[in-house]
Amino acid sequence: ISFMNEIANLCGRVGANIDAVRKGIGTDARIGSRFLFAGCGYGGSCFPKDVKANIHAAKKAGVEPMVLDAVEKRNQRQKERMFDHIKSKYGSDLSGLIFAVWGLSFKPGTDDMREAPSVVLINSLIKAGARVQAFDPVANEEAVKKFPPEWISENKLIFFNDNYTALENSDALVLMTEWKMFRNPSIRIIKEKMKNLCIFDGRNQ
């Protein structure tokens, strides 16, 4: 995962198509085509914990965990990349801007918010002065627990029960979790709801 995320960043800089690179790598039977999708970082209860545990075990045993250290460092940096893209368009001061965020859980099919990249993004957006209108098909209730209550009471962060309603008057849409329902959305409705049509796709959907 971290390797593909790093290659995706390289592709973005040199104008290569990460999807074509992924397909090429996947043709090697020793590697296979699964788990080669670049994105905005991994989360959950297993990968982060296990990588950290192996790093700790290696250091305790006197082994320098160079690859594992790099995996951890790349994943943490990857979670910040979406905010970097947003700053490159709007600058560091996001005051007055509204961002719709689709997908909050660390992966589709769960409400698990542990180590979710969406938490890093939303924290960065609000601290930069933006408002966030968030939607996840199952993780809204868990997501509420991850943020200061005053952000919600002051409407800096609003959770919606419908993905299109979350787009109302937004300046940009940020897709953070690859739920199937986000693969073929109605572009007509998106255009009607959003103030400006701008999409940051964190999962190459």
Side-chain angles (χ1 to χ4, degrees):
I1 294 170
S2 290
F3 173 77
M4 289 305 294
N5 284 337
E6 189 154 298
I7 295 299
N9 291 332
L10 174 60
C11 287
R13 284 296 182 93
V14 302
N17 183 337
I18 184 57
D19 199 46
V21 173
R22 174 186 64 81
K23 290 175 181 176
I25 293 173
T27 60
D28 189 327
R30 297 168 298 176
I31 299 171
S33 60
R34 302 180 69 193
F35 309 114
L36 294 180
F37 293 90
C40 41
Y42 61 75
S45 62
C46 299
F47 281 173
K49 173 177 63 66
D50 293 344
V51 171
K52 289 182 176 73
N54 279 310
I55 290 172
H56 176 75
K59 290 180 177 178
K60 188 176 180 180
V63 176
E64 186 179 359
M66 291 185 289
V67 173
L68 290 174
D69 270 336
V71 166
E72 172 69 6
K73 185 177 179 181
R74 164 50 59 199
N75 192 58
Q76 291 305 316
R77 183 69 187 90
Q78 198 67 18
K79 292 181 180 181
E80 301 166 359
R81 288 285 295 152
M82 188 57 70
F83 187 62
D84 289 344
H85 289 305
I86 290 170
K87 285 195 300 181
S88 71
K89 179 173 176 62
Y90 297 106
S92 298
D93 184 0
L94 304 179
S95 301
L97 296 177
I98 299 173
F99 291 85
V101 176
W102 280 6
L104 301 171
S105 59
F106 85 93
K107 69 175 183 179
T110 180
D111 66 352
D112 196 337
M113 290 293 300
R114 286 173 288 186
E115 304 272 355
S118 65
V119 175
V120 176
L121 173 71
I122 292 172
N123 274 313
S124 298
L125 288 172
I126 293 178
K127 288 175 182 177
R131 285 176 52 201
V132 175
Q133 299 178 169
F135 167 81
D136 189 283
V138 301
N140 280 0
E141 289 185 18
E142 286 300 313
V144 169
K145 304 172 187 176
K146 295 291 184 179
F147 302 99
E150 59 268 24
W151 285 3
I152 297 168
S153 63
E154 295 170 5
N155 289 332
K156 292 180 180 178
L157 173 58
I158 305 172
F159 293 92
F160 289 84
N161 293 320
D162 174 77
N163 59 313
Y164 293 117
T165 307
L167 295 174
E168 290 283 358
N169 294 314
S170 61
D171 293 281
L173 163 63
V174 190
L175 195 153
M176 293 296 288
T177 311
E178 64 273 33
W179 288 94
K180 287 182 179 179
M181 67 181 298
F182 301 150
R183 287 182 184 172
N184 294 294
S186 169
I187 299 300
R188 177 185 61 81
I189 297 176
I190 289 176
K191 285 181 177 180
E192 290 174 357
K193 296 286 187 181
M194 295 182 71
K195 187 190 304 179
N196 297 297
L197 184 61
C198 179
I199 299 174
F200 295 89
D201 186 355
R203 297 294 179 181
N204 287 321
Q205 289 247 102

